[in-house]
Amino acid sequence: MQSIPDPDQPTPTSRADLTNVIFLKNAIESPLIDVGDFTYYDDEGFRPPFEQANVKYLHGPQRLVLGRFTAIAPGATFLMPGGNHPMIGPSTYPFTMFGGAWQQATLEAFLAIEQPGDTVVGNDVWIGRDATVLPGVTIGDGAIIGAHSVVTRDVHPYEVVAGNPARPVRMRFDAHDVERLLAVRWWDWPVEKITEYAAVIMAGSPQELERLS
């Protein structure tokens, strides 16, 4: 179906004017970033590339993993563990970074410091404008991150959080319906089925999606 957006193109093929919407998987070069189909970033038509402007300290080995059908608003930033300073002793000064004698003296101690893991964002997540996600955070499927929020800890599936630091605002659905939605996993359906039932996915109920699955 030609009218369905092609996830393998940089921008939606179904609307020639929607050039500010970037399907991220086609704009990523780093092997440390993994992006699912139809996940997009709104660059407003003038912002620098996402990988350079929105993902900081991506030195590895930790990865940034973004699921399918996730929407990322302008200015959202992911801080990766490569920017962390040591906090286990008296000083946070990053001696190891400078190489030479300082690196030799501190490398063993630095490598022994426990580091956060991958930063993982689930499927069908909405990340608001200028939100910041800290290293090693996991954001569950269906969650919403409020604009200008600073996410310092994991976010449950279908949870709405906001603020600095981001705190729970509410759950989008009750626990039973969250279980339903996580079992249905509509984002993994064939794109033709998603297209056929897009109105239900957008405005229906978890029970309706469960019946369709």
Side-chain angles (χ1 to χ4, degrees):
M1 298 176 66
Q2 293 184 351
S3 60
I4 298 176
D6 183 350
D8 295 321
Q9 296 299 314
T11 57
T13 53
S14 51
R15 271 190 61 184
D17 62 317
L18 208 60
T19 56
N20 60 298
V21 170
I22 309 298
F23 284 147
L24 274 181
K25 76 168 192 176
N26 306 301
I28 297 300
E29 296 182 1
S30 173
L32 296 173
I33 303 177
D34 184 14
V35 185
D37 285 351
F38 298 104
T39 284
Y40 75 84
Y41 173 62
D42 180 0
D43 72 357
E44 298 185 299
F46 64 84
R47 291 177 179 261
F50 178 86
E51 186 174 340
Q52 286 76 43
N54 302 76
V55 185
K56 306 297 186 181
Y57 314 113
L58 186 67
H59 308 315
Q62 298 91 342
R63 300 180 306 143
L64 172 62
V65 181
L66 305 172
R68 293 162 59 92
F69 291 93
T70 280
I72 303 174
T77 302
F78 298 87
L79 301 182
M80 302 302 291
N84 279 359
H85 288 221
M87 295 187 293
I88 62 169
S91 177
T92 62
Y93 195 80
F95 289 97
T96 314
M97 180 179 74
F98 291 91
W102 282 2
Q103 184 180 73
Q104 292 177 19
T106 62
L107 183 59
E108 184 177 349
F110 177 78
L111 292 176
I113 299 172
E114 184 177 357
Q115 294 286 332
D118 294 344
T119 300
V120 180
V121 178
N123 308 280
D124 191 25
V125 173
W126 176 18
I127 299 179
R129 189 181 188 96
D130 292 318
T132 300
V133 179
L134 268 58
V137 165
T138 294
I139 299 175
D141 298 327
I144 296 175
I145 310 301
H148 299 277
S149 296
V150 178
V151 184
T152 62
R153 61 183 65 185
D154 292 353
V155 179
H156 294 114
Y158 293 94
E159 184 176 31
V160 181
V161 301
N164 181 8
R167 300 187 186 280
V169 175
R170 63 180 176 87
M171 295 296 296
R172 296 179 58 198
F173 302 97
D174 65 32
H176 187 52
D177 281 344
V178 168
E179 289 181 7
R180 280 193 172 106
L181 292 168
L182 294 176
V184 165
R185 297 185 62 84
W186 68 261
W187 45 82
D188 287 336
W189 292 356
V191 69
E192 293 79 13
K193 182 175 180 178
I194 291 172
T195 302
E196 181 179 358
Y197 297 111
V200 180
I201 293 170
M202 183 175 65
S205 68
Q207 293 89 337
E208 289 176 282
L209 280 185
E210 186 177 50
R211 287 195 292 270
L212 291 174
S213 69

